[in-house]
Amino acid sequence: MKYYLLSAMKPVGEPSAPETMVEINRRLNVFHEELREAGAWVFAGGLHRPDAATVMRPLGDEVEVIEGPYAEHKEFLGGICLVMAPDLDAALEWGRKAALATTLPVEVRPFLGEVDD
């Protein structure tokens, strides 16, 4: 088994309308339940907008603290879902389902190494 990270990429701009978010959250709950039933669930969660970030940047023996996003982007990481899948094809299928549930682009990326069963 391998861990795969499904990253939902949200475009920069105004937040979605509340009624849209209700429907997206409903679909996400269905998706997360499907992951649990399949034994693929590890973890999932949404993230605050980039302006809530604090970046810790090493500078020699010191660490610089940067409030807000470190870089300007057209998209930002809106949420993550960590799944277990036997191979990339299975992880891509979970990524497809995540994209449909969130209505956002989803990046699928494997973790290095294997998971001990």
Side-chain angles (χ1 to χ4, degrees):
M1 261 323 155
K2 195 165 197 61
Y3 282 146
Y4 291 85
L5 180 67
L6 311 182
S7 305
M9 302 307 295
K10 181 149 179 45
V12 172
E14 293 299 314
S16 299
E19 59 274 7
T20 301
M21 290 308 302
V22 167
E23 177 58 21
I24 289 172
N25 285 329
R26 185 196 65 76
R27 289 195 308 261
L28 273 173
N29 287 335
V30 169
F31 171 64
H32 292 162
E33 186 56 36
E34 186 178 354
L35 282 170
R36 286 181 182 94
E37 289 174 2
W41 171 268
V42 177
F43 172 82
L47 298 170
H48 284 276
R49 297 179 54 78
D51 57 5
T54 303
V55 176
M56 312 302 287
R57 183 178 190 181
L59 296 171
D61 291 338
E62 300 297 318
V63 175
E64 177 183 23
V65 178
I66 304 167
E67 299 294 330
Y70 177 70
E72 296 294 324
H73 295 284
K74 293 180 182 178
E75 297 180 319
F76 64 91
L77 184 59
I80 62 169
C81 184
L82 185 60
V83 301
M84 282 194 303
D87 55 38
L88 180 59
D89 288 337
L92 290 175
E93 179 59 19
W94 288 122
R96 184 187 73 77
K97 291 179 180 187
L100 290 172
T102 63
T103 70
L104 296 171
V106 172
E107 178 186 81
V108 177
R109 190 183 300 193
F111 276 74
L112 296 172
E114 296 293 321
V115 176
D116 294 331
D117 290 330

PDB file of all heavy atoms in Angstrom, residues 26-51:
ATOM      1  N   ARG A  26     -21.874  18.486   1.149  1.00  0.00           N
ATOM      2  CA  ARG A  26     -22.671  17.258   1.082  1.00  0.00           C
ATOM      3  C   ARG A  26     -21.957  16.209   0.223  1.00  0.00           C
ATOM      4  O   ARG A  26     -21.807  15.057   0.619  1.00  0.00           O
ATOM      5  CB  ARG A  26     -24.067  17.552   0.515  1.00  0.00           C
ATOM      6  CG  ARG A  26     -24.998  16.324   0.540  1.00  0.00           C
ATOM      7  CD  ARG A  26     -26.209  16.512  -0.356  1.00  0.00           C
ATOM      8  NE  ARG A  26     -25.876  16.619  -1.761  1.00  0.00           N
ATOM      9  CZ  ARG A  26     -25.523  15.587  -2.541  1.00  0.00           C
ATOM     10  NH1 ARG A  26     -25.406  14.373  -2.044  1.00  0.00           N
ATOM     11  NH2 ARG A  26     -25.250  15.780  -3.812  1.00  0.00           N
ATOM     12  N   ARG A  27     -21.477  16.642  -0.949  1.00  0.00           N
ATOM     13  CA  ARG A  27     -20.776  15.710  -1.846  1.00  0.00           C
ATOM     14  C   ARG A  27     -19.468  15.224  -1.219  1.00  0.00           C
ATOM     15  O   ARG A  27     -19.093  14.059  -1.379  1.00  0.00           O
ATOM     16  CB  ARG A  27     -20.524  16.370  -3.198  1.00  0.00           C
ATOM     17  CG  ARG A  27     -21.786  16.554  -4.021  1.00  0.00           C
ATOM     18  CD  ARG A  27     -21.489  16.871  -5.478  1.00  0.00           C
ATOM     19  NE  ARG A  27     -20.582  17.976  -5.649  1.00  0.00           N
ATOM     20  CZ  ARG A  27     -20.948  19.229  -5.925  1.00  0.00           C
ATOM     21  NH1 ARG A  27     -22.213  19.528  -6.078  1.00  0.00           N
ATOM     22  NH2 ARG A  27     -20.051  20.170  -6.072  1.00  0.00           N
ATOM     23  N   LEU A  28     -18.773  16.099  -0.505  1.00  0.00           N
ATOM     24  CA  LEU A  28     -17.539  15.688   0.174  1.00  0.00           C
ATOM     25  C   LEU A  28     -17.816  14.650   1.248  1.00  0.00           C
ATOM     26  O   LEU A  28     -17.054  13.689   1.406  1.00  0.00           O
ATOM     27  CB  LEU A  28     -16.829  16.894   0.791  1.00  0.00           C
ATOM     28  CG  LEU A  28     -15.889  17.642  -0.126  1.00  0.00           C
ATOM     29  CD1 LEU A  28     -15.387  18.903   0.559  1.00  0.00           C
ATOM     30  CD2 LEU A  28     -14.741  16.781  -0.574  1.00  0.00           C
ATOM     31  N   ASN A  29     -18.906  14.819   1.993  1.00  0.00           N
ATOM     32  CA  ASN A  29     -19.262  13.818   3.004  1.00  0.00           C
ATOM     33  C   ASN A  29     -19.530  12.460   2.372  1.00  0.00           C
ATOM     34  O   ASN A  29     -19.112  11.430   2.901  1.00  0.00           O
ATOM     35  CB  ASN A  29     -20.476  14.291   3.818  1.00  0.00           C
ATOM     36  CG  ASN A  29     -20.121  15.406   4.772  1.00  0.00           C
ATOM     37  OD1 ASN A  29     -18.976  15.555   5.187  1.00  0.00           O
ATOM     38  ND2 ASN A  29     -21.107  16.224   5.108  1.00  0.00           N
ATOM     39  N   VAL A  30     -20.198  12.443   1.224  1.00  0.00           N
ATOM     40  CA  VAL A  30     -20.442  11.186   0.498  1.00  0.00           C
ATOM     41  C   VAL A  30     -19.116  10.578   0.056  1.00  0.00           C
ATOM     42  O   VAL A  30     -18.874   9.381   0.215  1.00  0.00           O
ATOM     43  CB  VAL A  30     -21.379  11.428  -0.712  1.00  0.00           C
ATOM     44  CG1 VAL A  30     -21.437  10.209  -1.616  1.00  0.00           C
ATOM     45  CG2 VAL A  30     -22.779  11.822  -0.229  1.00  0.00           C
ATOM     46  N   PHE A  31     -18.227  11.411  -0.498  1.00  0.00           N
ATOM     47  CA  PHE A  31     -16.904  10.951  -0.941  1.00  0.00           C
ATOM     48  C   PHE A  31     -16.111  10.385   0.231  1.00  0.00           C
ATOM     49  O   PHE A  31     -15.526   9.296   0.138  1.00  0.00           O
ATOM     50  CB  PHE A  31     -16.158  12.107  -1.605  1.00  0.00           C
ATOM     51  CG  PHE A  31     -14.714  11.820  -1.911  1.00  0.00           C
ATOM     52  CD1 PHE A  31     -14.352  10.832  -2.806  1.00  0.00           C
ATOM     53  CD2 PHE A  31     -13.711  12.557  -1.291  1.00  0.00           C
ATOM     54  CE1 PHE A  31     -13.015  10.574  -3.084  1.00  0.00           C
ATOM     55  CE2 PHE A  31     -12.383  12.308  -1.573  1.00  0.00           C
ATOM     56  CZ  PHE A  31     -12.034  11.310  -2.465  1.00  0.00           C
ATOM     57  N   HIS A  32     -16.081  11.091   1.349  1.00  0.00           N
ATOM     58  CA  HIS A  32     -15.328  10.627   2.525  1.00  0.00           C
ATOM     59  C   HIS A  32     -15.901   9.313   3.067  1.00  0.00           C
ATOM     60  O   HIS A  32     -15.141   8.428   3.472  1.00  0.00           O
ATOM     61  CB  HIS A  32     -15.314  11.693   3.613  1.00  0.00           C
ATOM     62  CG  HIS A  32     -14.520  12.893   3.238  1.00  0.00           C
ATOM     63  ND1 HIS A  32     -14.655  14.090   3.882  1.00  0.00           N
ATOM     64  CD2 HIS A  32     -13.584  13.102   2.272  1.00  0.00           C
ATOM     65  CE1 HIS A  32     -13.835  14.989   3.331  1.00  0.00           C
ATOM     66  NE2 HIS A  32     -13.179  14.400   2.356  1.00  0.00           N
ATOM     67  N   GLU A  33     -17.206   9.166   3.038  1.00  0.00           N
ATOM     68  CA  GLU A  33     -17.821   7.907   3.488  1.00  0.00           C
ATOM     69  C   GLU A  33     -17.428   6.760   2.556  1.00  0.00           C
ATOM     70  O   GLU A  33     -17.157   5.650   3.006  1.00  0.00           O
ATOM     71  CB  GLU A  33     -19.341   8.045   3.571  1.00  0.00           C
ATOM     72  CG  GLU A  33     -20.020   6.840   4.171  1.00  0.00           C
ATOM     73  CD  GLU A  33     -19.496   6.475   5.556  1.00  0.00           C
ATOM     74  OE1 GLU A  33     -19.157   7.376   6.350  1.00  0.00           O
ATOM     75  OE2 GLU A  33     -19.410   5.260   5.850  1.00  0.00           O
ATOM     76  N   GLU A  34     -17.382   7.032   1.252  1.00  0.00           N
ATOM     77  CA  GLU A  34     -16.949   6.013   0.293  1.00  0.00           C
ATOM     78  C   GLU A  34     -15.501   5.608   0.565  1.00  0.00           C
ATOM     79  O   GLU A  34     -15.163   4.423   0.511  1.00  0.00           O
ATOM     80  CB  GLU A  34     -17.109   6.533  -1.136  1.00  0.00           C
ATOM     81  CG  GLU A  34     -16.814   5.494  -2.189  1.00  0.00           C
ATOM     82  CD  GLU A  34     -17.007   5.990  -3.607  1.00  0.00           C
ATOM     83  OE1 GLU A  34     -17.490   7.129  -3.813  1.00  0.00           O
ATOM     84  OE2 GLU A  34     -16.651   5.236  -4.534  1.00  0.00           O
ATOM     85  N   LEU A  35     -14.637   6.561   0.866  1.00  0.00           N
ATOM     86  CA  LEU A  35     -13.246   6.252   1.222  1.00  0.00           C
ATOM     87  C   LEU A  35     -13.191   5.351   2.462  1.00  0.00           C
ATOM     88  O   LEU A  35     -12.446   4.370   2.490  1.00  0.00           O
ATOM     89  CB  LEU A  35     -12.465   7.534   1.515  1.00  0.00           C
ATOM     90  CG  LEU A  35     -11.983   8.358   0.342  1.00  0.00           C
ATOM     91  CD1 LEU A  35     -11.454   9.702   0.825  1.00  0.00           C
ATOM     92  CD2 LEU A  35     -10.914   7.618  -0.447  1.00  0.00           C
ATOM     93  N   ARG A  36     -13.987   5.681   3.473  1.00  0.00           N
ATOM     94  CA  ARG A  36     -13.992   4.880   4.715  1.00  0.00           C
ATOM     95  C   ARG A  36     -14.452   3.456   4.433  1.00  0.00           C
ATOM     96  O   ARG A  36     -13.843   2.496   4.907  1.00  0.00           O
ATOM     97  CB  ARG A  36     -14.893   5.532   5.762  1.00  0.00           C
ATOM     98  CG  ARG A  36     -14.298   6.767   6.399  1.00  0.00           C
ATOM     99  CD  ARG A  36     -15.249   7.340   7.466  1.00  0.00           C
ATOM    100  NE  ARG A  36     -14.734   8.542   8.050  1.00  0.00           N
ATOM    101  CZ  ARG A  36     -15.025   9.775   7.646  1.00  0.00           C
ATOM    102  NH1 ARG A  36     -15.869   9.973   6.635  1.00  0.00           N
ATOM    103  NH2 ARG A  36     -14.494  10.822   8.237  1.00  0.00           N
ATOM    104  N   GLU A  37     -15.541   3.334   3.678  1.00  0.00           N
ATOM    105  CA  GLU A  37     -16.082   2.005   3.369  1.00  0.00           C
ATOM    106  C   GLU A  37     -15.091   1.159   2.572  1.00  0.00           C
ATOM    107  O   GLU A  37     -15.058  -0.058   2.716  1.00  0.00           O
ATOM    108  CB  GLU A  37     -17.404   2.137   2.624  1.00  0.00           C
ATOM    109  CG  GLU A  37     -18.537   2.629   3.499  1.00  0.00           C
ATOM    110  CD  GLU A  37     -19.824   2.908   2.735  1.00  0.00           C
ATOM    111  OE1 GLU A  37     -19.873   2.680   1.505  1.00  0.00           O
ATOM    112  OE2 GLU A  37     -20.780   3.375   3.376  1.00  0.00           O
ATOM    113  N   ALA A  38     -14.268   1.808   1.749  1.00  0.00           N
ATOM    114  CA  ALA A  38     -13.273   1.095   0.941  1.00  0.00           C
ATOM    115  C   ALA A  38     -11.987   0.817   1.714  1.00  0.00           C
ATOM    116  O   ALA A  38     -11.096   0.147   1.211  1.00  0.00           O
ATOM    117  CB  ALA A  38     -12.957   1.902  -0.322  1.00  0.00           C
ATOM    118  N   GLY A  39     -11.861   1.348   2.933  1.00  0.00           N
ATOM    119  CA  GLY A  39     -10.631   1.177   3.707  1.00  0.00           C
ATOM    120  C   GLY A  39      -9.491   2.036   3.209  1.00  0.00           C
ATOM    121  O   GLY A  39      -8.327   1.781   3.521  1.00  0.00           O
ATOM    122  N   ALA A  40      -9.803   3.080   2.427  1.00  0.00           N
ATOM    123  CA  ALA A  40      -8.771   3.953   1.857  1.00  0.00           C
ATOM    124  C   ALA A  40      -8.609   5.250   2.642  1.00  0.00           C
ATOM    125  O   ALA A  40      -7.671   5.996   2.401  1.00  0.00           O
ATOM    126  CB  ALA A  40      -9.114   4.269   0.400  1.00  0.00           C
ATOM    127  N   TRP A  41      -9.501   5.535   3.574  1.00  0.00           N
ATOM    128  CA  TRP A  41      -9.492   6.778   4.348  1.00  0.00           C
ATOM    129  C   TRP A  41      -8.283   6.834   5.266  1.00  0.00           C
ATOM    130  O   TRP A  41      -7.979   5.881   5.978  1.00  0.00           O
ATOM    131  CB  TRP A  41     -10.757   6.871   5.179  1.00  0.00           C
ATOM    132  CG  TRP A  41     -10.771   7.996   6.168  1.00  0.00           C
ATOM    133  CD1 TRP A  41     -10.370   7.926   7.462  1.00  0.00           C
ATOM    134  CD2 TRP A  41     -11.184   9.335   5.951  1.00  0.00           C
ATOM    135  NE1 TRP A  41     -10.522   9.149   8.069  1.00  0.00           N
ATOM    136  CE2 TRP A  41     -11.021  10.036   7.170  1.00  0.00           C
ATOM    137  CE3 TRP A  41     -11.688  10.020   4.847  1.00  0.00           C
ATOM    138  CZ2 TRP A  41     -11.347  11.380   7.304  1.00  0.00           C
ATOM    139  CZ3 TRP A  41     -12.006  11.354   4.995  1.00  0.00           C
ATOM    140  CH2 TRP A  41     -11.835  12.017   6.213  1.00  0.00           C
ATOM    141  N   VAL A  42      -7.571   7.947   5.268  1.00  0.00           N
ATOM    142  CA  VAL A  42      -6.523   8.217   6.242  1.00  0.00           C
ATOM    143  C   VAL A  42      -6.850   9.527   6.956  1.00  0.00           C
ATOM    144  O   VAL A  42      -6.960   9.560   8.175  1.00  0.00           O
ATOM    145  CB  VAL A  42      -5.116   8.278   5.603  1.00  0.00           C
ATOM    146  CG1 VAL A  42      -4.067   8.631   6.644  1.00  0.00           C
ATOM    147  CG2 VAL A  42      -4.775   6.955   4.924  1.00  0.00           C
ATOM    148  N   PHE A  43      -7.024  10.619   6.187  1.00  0.00           N
ATOM    149  CA  PHE A  43      -7.272  11.934   6.768  1.00  0.00           C
ATOM    150  C   PHE A  43      -7.763  12.876   5.680  1.00  0.00           C
ATOM    151  O   PHE A  43      -7.375  12.737   4.522  1.00  0.00           O
ATOM    152  CB  PHE A  43      -5.981  12.494   7.382  1.00  0.00           C
ATOM    153  CG  PHE A  43      -6.097  13.918   7.831  1.00  0.00           C
ATOM    154  CD1 PHE A  43      -6.660  14.216   9.056  1.00  0.00           C
ATOM    155  CD2 PHE A  43      -5.677  14.955   7.021  1.00  0.00           C
ATOM    156  CE1 PHE A  43      -6.801  15.536   9.472  1.00  0.00           C
ATOM    157  CE2 PHE A  43      -5.811  16.282   7.430  1.00  0.00           C
ATOM    158  CZ  PHE A  43      -6.371  16.563   8.664  1.00  0.00           C
ATOM    159  N   ALA A  44      -8.581  13.857   6.063  1.00  0.00           N
ATOM    160  CA  ALA A  44      -8.982  14.915   5.130  1.00  0.00           C
ATOM    161  C   ALA A  44      -9.314  16.165   5.924  1.00  0.00           C
ATOM    162  O   ALA A  44      -9.751  16.083   7.075  1.00  0.00           O
ATOM    163  CB  ALA A  44     -10.184  14.491   4.295  1.00  0.00           C
ATOM    164  N   GLY A  45      -9.104  17.319   5.308  1.00  0.00           N
ATOM    165  CA  GLY A  45      -9.466  18.573   5.954  1.00  0.00           C
ATOM    166  C   GLY A  45      -9.266  19.748   5.027  1.00  0.00           C
ATOM    167  O   GLY A  45      -8.458  19.698   4.102  1.00  0.00           O
ATOM    168  N   GLY A  46     -10.019  20.790   5.283  1.00  0.00           N
ATOM    169  CA  GLY A  46      -9.891  22.027   4.529  1.00  0.00           C
ATOM    170  C   GLY A  46      -8.902  22.955   5.211  1.00  0.00           C
ATOM    171  O   GLY A  46      -8.565  22.775   6.382  1.00  0.00           O
ATOM    172  N   LEU A  47      -8.459  23.934   4.467  1.00  0.00           N
ATOM    173  CA  LEU A  47      -7.497  24.912   4.981  1.00  0.00           C
ATOM    174  C   LEU A  47      -8.070  26.315   4.865  1.00  0.00           C
ATOM    175  O   LEU A  47      -8.857  26.603   3.966  1.00  0.00           O
ATOM    176  CB  LEU A  47      -6.195  24.839   4.183  1.00  0.00           C
ATOM    177  CG  LEU A  47      -5.456  23.504   4.244  1.00  0.00           C
ATOM    178  CD1 LEU A  47      -4.332  23.483   3.217  1.00  0.00           C
ATOM    179  CD2 LEU A  47      -4.924  23.268   5.631  1.00  0.00           C
ATOM    180  N   HIS A  48      -7.666  27.187   5.777  1.00  0.00           N
ATOM    181  CA  HIS A  48      -8.027  28.602   5.668  1.00  0.00           C
ATOM    182  C   HIS A  48      -7.325  29.203   4.459  1.00  0.00           C
ATOM    183  O   HIS A  48      -6.373  28.633   3.902  1.00  0.00           O
ATOM    184  CB  HIS A  48      -7.606  29.352   6.936  1.00  0.00           C
ATOM    185  CG  HIS A  48      -8.505  29.096   8.094  1.00  0.00           C
ATOM    186  ND1 HIS A  48      -9.676  29.777   8.290  1.00  0.00           N
ATOM    187  CD2 HIS A  48      -8.410  28.213   9.108  1.00  0.00           C
ATOM    188  CE1 HIS A  48     -10.266  29.345   9.385  1.00  0.00           C
ATOM    189  NE2 HIS A  48      -9.517  28.380   9.905  1.00  0.00           N
ATOM    190  N   ARG A  49      -7.771  30.370   4.070  1.00  0.00           N
ATOM    191  CA  ARG A  49      -7.190  31.070   2.924  1.00  0.00           C
ATOM    192  C   ARG A  49      -5.713  31.405   3.192  1.00  0.00           C
ATOM    193  O   ARG A  49      -5.289  31.446   4.348  1.00  0.00           O
ATOM    194  CB  ARG A  49      -7.990  32.335   2.638  1.00  0.00           C
ATOM    195  CG  ARG A  49      -9.445  32.020   2.242  1.00  0.00           C
ATOM    196  CD  ARG A  49     -10.254  33.255   1.969  1.00  0.00           C
ATOM    197  NE  ARG A  49      -9.652  34.157   0.984  1.00  0.00           N
ATOM    198  CZ  ARG A  49      -9.675  33.976  -0.341  1.00  0.00           C
ATOM    199  NH1 ARG A  49     -10.260  32.919  -0.850  1.00  0.00           N
ATOM    200  NH2 ARG A  49      -9.122  34.855  -1.145  1.00  0.00           N
ATOM    201  N   PRO A  50      -4.923  31.653   2.155  1.00  0.00           N
ATOM    202  CA  PRO A  50      -3.489  31.909   2.322  1.00  0.00           C
ATOM    203  C   PRO A  50      -3.157  33.093   3.228  1.00  0.00           C
ATOM    204  O   PRO A  50      -2.095  33.104   3.855  1.00  0.00           O
ATOM    205  CB  PRO A  50      -3.006  32.188   0.893  1.00  0.00           C
ATOM    206  CG  PRO A  50      -3.987  31.529   0.012  1.00  0.00           C
ATOM    207  CD  PRO A  50      -5.306  31.605   0.737  1.00  0.00           C
ATOM    208  N   ASP A  51      -4.044  34.075   3.337  1.00  0.00           N
ATOM    209  CA  ASP A  51      -3.715  35.218   4.190  1.00  0.00           C
ATOM    210  C   ASP A  51      -3.719  34.854   5.676  1.00  0.00           C
ATOM    211  O   ASP A  51      -3.296  35.644   6.511  1.00  0.00           O
ATOM    212  CB  ASP A  51      -4.620  36.417   3.914  1.00  0.00           C
ATOM    213  CG  ASP A  51      -6.100  36.115   4.073  1.00  0.00           C
ATOM    214  OD1 ASP A  51      -6.474  34.998   4.485  1.00  0.00           O
ATOM    215  OD2 ASP A  51      -6.901  37.015   3.773  1.00  0.00           O
TER     216      ASP A  51
END
